[in-house]
Amino acid sequence: MYLKLSYEIRDKYLRKDMLPTIFCPGCGIGSVLQYTLRAIDELGWSKDEVVWVSGIGCSSRVPGFVDFDGLHTTHGRALAFATGIKMARPDLKVIAFMGDGDTAAIGGNHFIHAIRRNLDVTVILINNFTYGMTGGQVAPTTLKGLRGTTAPYGSFENPFDIAELAVAAGANYVARWTVFNYLQGINSIKKALQKKGFSLVEFLSPCPISFGRRNRMKTAPELIKWYNKITVPISKAKKMSPEELEGKIIIGEFVDRDRPSLDEEYEEYKKRAKKMMGWE
Amino acid sequence: MIIRGDEPEQIDLLKKLYPKGNYFMQGDEAIAYGAIFAGCRFYAGYPITPASEIAETMARELPKVRGYYIQMEDEIGSIAAIIGASWTGLKSMTATSGPGFSLMQENLGYAIMTETPIVVVDVQRSGPSTGQATKGAQGDFFQARWGTHGDHPIVAISPISVEDSFWETIRAFNISEKLRIPVVLLADGVIGHTREQIRIPDPEEVEIVYRKLPKNEEEAKYPFGDVDGSLIPPMPLFGHGYFTHVTGSTHKETGLRDVYTPEVHIKLVNRLHKKIEKHEKDIEKWEEYFTDDMEILVISWGVSARPSLGAVLKAREEGIKVGLFIPKTVHPFPGKKVKEFAKRVRAILVPEMNLGQLILEVQRYVNDDIILKGVNKIGGVPLTVEEILREIRGV
Ligand SMILES: Cc1ncc(C[n+]2csc(CCOP(=O)(O)OP(=O)(O)O)c2C)c(N)n1
Ligand code: SF4
Ligand SMILES: [Mg+2]
């Protein structure tokens, strides 16, 4: 596969007057953004058919950097805003760029309901196990025992597995990778973008500044090593016992199916109403 | 009219579905039909008494007029969804009551900051908290004004009858579209659930306003700039190749975020306020009765306006020189008008279904040398003509 140079992608899709980005050295968000833009580029999508939405957080700043229509909204609510956009203009393709706190804490309810409805959006999720933007507080994804500014002695809560949550809620496509699985990542994003209905591509993404630093992993390479230690490919995981999987994070493609999406269902609903009521 | 570009077809559709004439309906239904006549084609909401009938009517009617209805998971999501739909160009509305209106406040601020036209209906009920959930009240006067955080302008309209609910909803949409600002319709559970006769007009009789779109690429570059001196920027819609960035954070005229330059924030927030002041004439609306020779003035709003009028008419029969002023647009409050009136009367009475809210606005425009007195009632039962008349006689 021919990979375009990064600057080609940058010049084609980013807003020059917003650069440089705010991302810290070693942050994974920029890489995931690049994967997403490459996926769009490889699919040959035109910029005016895509709308980006986000909430609040480091990850959510992405729509401000890309030269597309974009709605940078309130913390956790991106998918609720996206519901309005997508219902009113089903022909537009909607990408939601979200953080783990945004998705699973404050926006958890919108997340599961958007999936339940099978809203036709692609969520690109930056899971850095923390609240990056606000300085590294414990998040609903923080693994037990890991530290955050608000869990100085290590988190005592059970974490959410967001990918599993999405599968259970009924998403059409769900995959999880680390930022370092770039080919798989780009491929998954391409699949997700083309998928009608709800799709999620989650990335374990290094946040050395707010998360790593507090957990003896000050740099991105240390975080990579840690990812290697805790992640298990889904094929291998299938052969492992629950005990062996304790503390591990599964990566790979979780689900790929084709249930009807919300906009398709709504069109059917209108047809049904017409028939029932004998309008026109 | 209606959906821009689809007017003749939509007018025929409305005429067929809702032939002009007299109907018997609730205030809530009148709000829903008003919205449909105003061109609202997207509704998102969450059930709550006494506003659910609006959602139910919209759910039934919108599919007939090529509109979209969705029941969201909560009120935060409801207002978010209508803001999203508005950026695609559809006129959009949500409706709720006190508890839901509280939940909407953050995104109401988002709509103000991003200059998104939407209509938010608050069918006020008796609070605080779940209070008397099924009973009407007028306790959200200041929540509508100051419920969301930060310095912000707002427009809020309060209808006084079922028929008025129809027309004031249309006016709410028109102001919202013209000024690119969310408009709050402060209805209440009493009118919302009252059935009375209303006249549904021909769609041609209804004046409808659409938001201004950019005339060219150049204008579209400044979705938050004053491109034509009106202080109201044209609104580039999503999916038209303008690549518009919309954020609730402080932004430049281009829409791009800049939260560090004080001048950018000052300029933006001042323009948001000034655009309301500049177009005050398009926003303000009131009714007044017997104000020429009055010695006593009754100022009332919403559901309390009607018994106030009844009381004023009776008092006039008794020879008492009393007038009545009913602001329909309650925010911005018509303070100048009240100030003028206050110079000519010896007493002002303010009947409302709360412990004194609008009266606090009145107070700001009235000197100490006249009597200012609230006629207040809570408990879910509206004020009666007799109760207000007694105060007029006694003042
Ligand atoms: C209603 C509300 N509550 C709290 C905040 C403060 N806040 C901003 S970003 C953030 C957390 C972001 O974490 P995450 O979603 O994981 O994104 P990240 O910064 O890690 O990419 C919080 C709590 C806010 N903006 N709005
Ligand atoms: S705080 Fe963390 S997530 Fe945010 S930009 Fe820095 S490294 Fe990235
Ligand atoms: Mg995070």
Side-chain angles (χ1 to χ4, degrees):
Chain A
M1 183 168 59
Y2 163 73
L3 280 180
K4 274 192 187 162
L5 295 170
S6 311
Y7 74 80
E8 289 178 75
I9 296 291
R10 182 193 66 197
D11 291 351
K12 187 163 171 191
Y13 293 110
L14 296 189
R15 295 181 189 271
K16 280 167 211 69
D17 37 356
M18 287 300 283
L19 298 178
T21 67
I22 53 141
F23 307 131
C24 314
C27 177
I29 299 174
S31 310
V32 178
L33 170 57
Q34 199 190 121
Y35 304 162
T36 311
L37 293 173
R38 282 185 188 281
I40 292 173
D41 196 57
E42 286 175 23
L43 292 173
W45 283 7
S46 109
K47 289 201 294 181
D48 53 14
E49 54 184 338
V50 183
V51 179
W52 297 59
V53 286
S54 68
I56 298 287
C58 297
S59 329
S60 293
R61 293 289 289 280
V62 157
F65 298 119
V66 297
D67 192 25
F68 288 77
D69 284 331
L71 201 60
H72 173 238
T73 70
T74 45
H75 191 28
R77 318 296 174 195
L79 291 173
F81 284 87
T83 307
I85 297 173
K86 188 67 199 184
M87 277 199 89
R89 279 288 303 270
D91 58 314
L92 294 177
K93 301 172 181 353
V94 180
I95 299 175
F97 221 94
M98 302 176 65
D100 51 320
D102 208 42
T103 305
I106 194 163
N109 203 28
H110 305 304
F111 182 67
I112 56 174
H113 284 278
I115 301 175
R116 173 181 65 76
R117 297 187 183 103
N118 211 4
L119 180 69
D120 183 23
V121 300
T122 297
V123 172
I124 308 293
L125 169 65
I126 300 289
N127 184 355
N128 49 17
F129 301 102
T130 191
Y131 287 168
M133 171 134 281
T134 40
Q137 293 80 13
V138 68
T141 43
T142 310
L143 303 181
K144 251 189 190 162
L146 289 178
R147 278 187 293 264
T149 55
T150 49
Y153 316 112
S155 169
F156 55 88
E157 296 179 34
N158 298 317
F160 255 141
D161 182 324
I162 301 179
E164 293 283 14
L165 185 64
V167 174
N172 265 355
Y173 181 82
V174 176
R176 173 162 56 212
W177 303 105
T178 77
V179 161
F180 309 100
N181 309 110
Y182 69 97
L183 279 180
Q184 295 97 320
I186 295 172
N187 273 333
S188 272
I189 297 174
K190 271 163 72 177
K191 274 194 190 173
L193 290 175
Q194 288 169 287
K195 177 67 71 183
K196 210 53 201 137
F198 196 95
S199 55
L200 166 74
V201 187
E202 173 180 349
F203 286 93
L204 306 189
S205 171
C207 168
I209 300 304
S210 293
F211 173 75
R213 216 151 44 100
R214 305 211 157 74
N215 288 288
R216 299 206 179 86
M217 296 178 280
K218 275 203 194 95
T219 61
E222 286 166 277
L223 284 157
I224 306 176
K225 266 191 222 142
W226 178 61
Y227 289 164
N228 281 339
K229 211 164 77 193
I230 61 165
T231 55
V232 181
I234 195 160
S235 51
K236 197 168 156 198
K238 281 186 183 138
K239 293 175 218 137
M240 291 165 69
S241 68
E243 293 75 40
E244 288 171 312
L245 281 171
E246 192 62 42
K248 300 282 186 204
I249 294 180
I250 299 171
I251 54 170
E253 257 183 14
F254 285 65
V255 72
D256 184 353
R257 59 193 166 198
D258 292 292
R259 296 175 174 171
S261 68
L262 175 66
D263 43 303
E264 291 167 325
E265 298 270 27
Y266 192 74
E267 280 314 306
E268 281 305 309
Y269 171 76
K270 282 206 274 196
K271 277 189 208 145
R272 186 162 77 230
K274 265 188 194 159
K275 219 163 154 189
M276 275 169 70
M277 307 307 292
W279 308 327
E280 284 156 298
Chain B
M1 193 193 302
I2 319 301
I3 295 183
R4 198 175 343 214
D6 254 0
E7 289 87 349
E9 216 184 307
Q10 284 277 340
I11 287 179
D12 285 348
L13 197 54
L14 291 195
K15 280 185 177 168
K16 201 171 89 190
L17 291 167
Y18 322 111
K20 85 167 169 198
N22 290 331
Y23 289 71
F24 191 60
M25 64 170 77
Q26 292 188 338
D28 278 359
E29 293 169 292
I31 290 170
Y33 288 112
I36 286 172
F37 273 70
C40 172
R41 290 297 176 271
F42 188 91
Y43 182 97
Y46 190 83
I48 187 167
T49 304
S52 297
E53 288 83 355
I54 300 176
E56 287 161 357
T57 308
M58 293 306 259
R60 192 180 64 231
E61 301 303 324
L62 277 176
K64 300 181 189 171
V65 293
R66 287 196 262 302
Y68 301 86
Y69 170 88
I70 188 151
Q71 183 165 309
M72 292 298 287
E73 49 275 15
D74 58 29
E75 289 83 352
I76 303 175
S78 302
I79 183 169
I82 67 167
I83 295 171
S86 183
W87 276 95
T88 73
L90 286 192
K91 294 186 184 178
S92 309
M93 178 171 94
T94 186
T96 186
S97 187
F101 193 47
S102 297
L103 288 181
M104 288 182 184
Q105 294 302 328
E106 184 191 13
N107 283 339
L108 185 60
Y110 181 84
I112 294 167
M113 192 64 158
T114 57
E115 300 177 71
T116 309
I118 52 166
V119 172
V120 175
V121 183
D122 172 19
V123 187
Q124 297 168 90
R125 70 187 214 183
S126 174
S129 191
T130 25
Q132 298 167 287
T134 61
K135 304 285 184 196
Q138 293 183 284
D140 302 349
F141 180 80
F142 282 111
Q143 192 186 15
R145 179 62 194 91
W146 292 115
T148 194
H149 60 279
D151 288 304
H152 61 273
I154 193 78
V155 176
I157 291 176
S158 195
I160 59 172
S161 70
V162 173
E163 178 148 314
D164 202 39
S165 301
F166 177 87
W167 291 101
E168 289 302 296
T169 304
I170 294 169
R171 198 164 71 85
F173 271 99
N174 287 349
I175 292 172
S176 168
E177 291 284 318
K178 168 144 198 209
L179 280 116
R180 266 187 73 180
I181 184 172
V183 173
V184 176
L185 190 79
L186 271 180
D188 66 80
V190 180
I191 298 172
H193 279 172
T194 298
R195 274 178 205 282
E196 52 185 350
Q197 179 170 305
I198 94 163
R199 191 185 147 270
I200 294 285
D202 250 338
E204 281 108 337
E205 286 175 49
V206 179
E207 194 207 323
I208 294 226
V209 177
Y210 288 110
R211 67 193 68 174
K212 186 167 64 183
L213 302 178
K215 287 205 264 311
N216 47 46
E217 297 268 316
E218 186 55 26
E219 277 195 9
K221 283 186 194 151
Y222 305 101
F224 302 92
D226 181 20
V227 301
D228 57 14
S230 70
L231 301 178
I232 308 161
M235 184 166 169
L237 304 175
F238 284 174
H240 291 260
Y242 294 129
F243 309 136
T244 306
H245 182 61
V246 182
T247 176
S249 299
T250 293
H251 43 271
K252 294 181 279 201
E253 300 181 336
T254 54
L256 298 183
R257 183 189 152 101
D258 177 352
V259 303
Y260 300 111
T261 317
E263 290 73 31
V264 171
H265 185 81
I266 295 166
K267 193 170 172 193
L268 169 63
V269 175
N270 277 330
R271 182 177 57 73
L272 295 182
H273 283 85
K274 279 195 214 128
K275 81 174 172 184
I276 301 300
E277 286 159 29
K278 186 176 174 115
H279 299 276
E280 193 185 10
K281 288 275 171 279
D282 295 322
I283 302 172
E284 63 185 21
K285 186 176 175 187
W286 56 71
E287 288 181 14
E288 50 179 291
Y289 300 88
F290 313 112
T291 48
D292 289 344
D293 64 342
M294 63 182 174
E295 288 164 8
I296 302 166
L297 172 62
V298 176
I299 302 180
S300 192
W301 63 292
V303 59
S304 301
R306 192 187 287 195
S308 295
L309 179 58
V312 167
L313 289 171
K314 282 232 164 104
R316 279 275 161 180
E317 280 170 20
E318 293 173 14
I320 305 174
K321 290 199 166 154
V322 55
L324 174 63
F325 179 66
I326 305 169
K328 295 279 203 71
T329 298
V330 294
H331 299 299
F333 185 74
K336 268 184 269 170
K337 193 80 191 164
V338 170
K339 200 167 180 170
E340 265 169 54
F341 284 145
K343 287 184 197 134
R344 300 198 266 119
V345 296
R346 64 174 176 81
I348 295 179
L349 295 175
V350 185
E352 44 184 340
M353 269 181 89
N354 56 37
L355 291 180
Q357 296 198 11
L358 180 125
I359 194 173
L360 297 176
E361 277 287 13
V362 173
Q363 203 167 38
R364 302 201 290 140
Y365 300 96
V366 172
N367 292 335
D368 284 350
D369 53 356
I370 63 170
I371 300 163
L372 175 61
K373 194 164 175 235
V375 184
N376 306 103
K377 190 169 177 184
I378 58 172
V381 182
L383 281 159
T384 62
V385 170
E386 212 31 64
E387 283 163 342
I388 299 166
L389 185 59
R390 205 182 308 135
E391 295 296 328
I392 295 173
R393 285 189 194 124
V395 74

